[in-house]
Amino acid sequence: MSGNIRLLDDTLAAAKAEGRSALIAYLPAGFPTVDGGIAAVKAVFDGGADVVEVGLPHSDPVLDGPVIQTADDIALRGGLKIRDVLRTVREAYAATGKPVLVMTYWNPIDRYGVERFTAELAEAGGAGCILPDLPVQESALWREHAAKHGLATVFVVAPSSKDERLATITAAGSGFVYAASLMGVTGTRESVGEQAQELVRRTKATTGLPVCVGLGVSNARHAAQVAGFADGVIVGSAFVRRMLDAEDEAAGLAAVRALAGELADGVRGKA
């Protein structure tokens, strides 16, 4: 079975045709439980997300801030396995028909086996993978198998990336480019500044791929700001925080559904 890179491409193109940015949500698998995590992904789609990134929790994350680290710890202590991540993708895609990616560090895939992981992610209906710590120059094996199975390979660029490096990264990627709006780890910020806009401008000069911005977006005002210059707005910690702060799972699902609705209004200029 082929993966859903085309669905991802079509979804991002449809948002552009509507004159808006796509809303991309991030939630870790297995949080607060495997079933609860699946329900949360469905809830953010119900609220208005166009795409969801399902995080594969890692014991030593380098990009994730304290909010996502807390959720990852809960998932790992609950015994989360890669098969649970793939189940999350499968059930979310089956229920919604919308693109679901996995965001993961490289080590778990390397241990699981690249061929096995790409084949199983495609079989689950996945659209691709975001690989924040896989160097492009070491990515040939992954990209070969991802392409064979119809999966996008999304690389991360940062404000520190030189123009030549941006061109190398974007030439190797597919689906979209993940532009980290600032240096540092994930988490909500008071504002998402000019650094992000300049990074998007520089990245777009190297590629025709959509450029989507993450790290720091937490409310409709941020979403509207970023939507003014990016093809997609990526929100993670704000969703996880809503789940962590909720008194129970039902309240958490209602909270992330509501936040998705607010952010969806933001990317449409209705905030």
Side-chain angles (χ1 to χ4, degrees):
M1 177 176 173
S2 181
N4 272 314
I5 185 173
R6 179 167 293 180
L7 175 62
L8 175 64
D9 292 341
D10 290 348
T11 298
L12 294 172
K16 184 176 182 179
E18 292 175 16
R20 65 173 179 89
S21 290
L23 174 60
I24 303 174
Y26 167 92
L27 286 165
F31 169 72
T33 62
V34 175
D35 288 342
I38 293 168
V41 174
K42 294 177 184 177
V44 296
F45 272 134
D46 288 345
D50 298 292
V51 180
V52 170
E53 306 170 4
V54 172
L56 196 164
H58 194 276
S59 57
D60 185 27
V62 295
L63 185 69
D64 300 317
V67 172
I68 291 175
Q69 284 186 33
T70 298
D72 282 1
D73 186 56
I74 291 168
L76 292 169
R77 283 191 282 113
L80 184 85
K81 305 296 184 189
I82 286 181
R83 65 174 176 270
D84 300 314
V85 179
L86 295 168
R87 180 186 153 213
T88 301
V89 173
R90 178 180 294 107
E91 295 195 16
Y93 169 66
T96 66
K98 295 182 179 180
V100 184
L101 300 104
V102 169
M103 186 166 189
T104 178
Y105 297 103
W106 179 244
N107 181 256
I109 293 179
D110 193 36
R111 294 202 333 245
Y112 196 76
V114 175
E115 168 63 24
R116 179 185 177 194
F117 185 84
T118 51
E120 292 180 7
L121 180 57
E123 187 276 330
C129 243
I130 302 165
L131 300 159
D133 68 337
L134 177 63
V136 170
Q137 62 270 26
E138 298 174 19
S139 68
L141 178 65
W142 164 265
R143 288 187 286 125
E144 174 192 342
H145 287 292
K148 180 171 75 172
H149 290 291
L151 299 168
T153 297
V154 178
F155 288 113
V156 178
V157 297
S160 60
S161 303
K162 306 296 185 190
D163 289 350
E164 184 178 355
R165 177 71 176 158
L166 286 176
T168 300
I169 293 170
T170 59
S174 55
F176 63 91
V177 182
Y178 186 126
S181 66
L182 37 77
M183 303 303 292
V185 298
T186 58
T188 60
R189 303 296 198 282
E190 287 303 310
S191 64
V192 182
E194 293 179 5
Q195 200 173 35
Q197 187 167 358
E198 176 63 10
L199 176 60
V200 169
R201 185 195 65 75
R202 291 172 53 225
T203 304
K204 281 181 169 291
T206 72
T207 183
L209 289 173
V211 180
C212 304
V213 169
L215 272 66
V217 179
S218 62
N219 56 45
R221 179 174 57 83
H222 289 167
Q225 179 187 356
V226 174
F229 57 82
D231 299 300
V233 179
I234 303 170
V235 182
S237 295
F239 282 113
V240 177
R241 170 57 69 192
R242 293 279 180 109
M243 295 284 289
L244 285 168
D245 288 348
E247 62 184 23
D248 56 34
E249 188 174 307
L253 296 177
V256 296
R257 186 181 295 109
L259 178 58
E262 295 164 16
L263 294 165
D265 284 345
V267 300
R268 288 168 171 82
K270 299 176 182 177

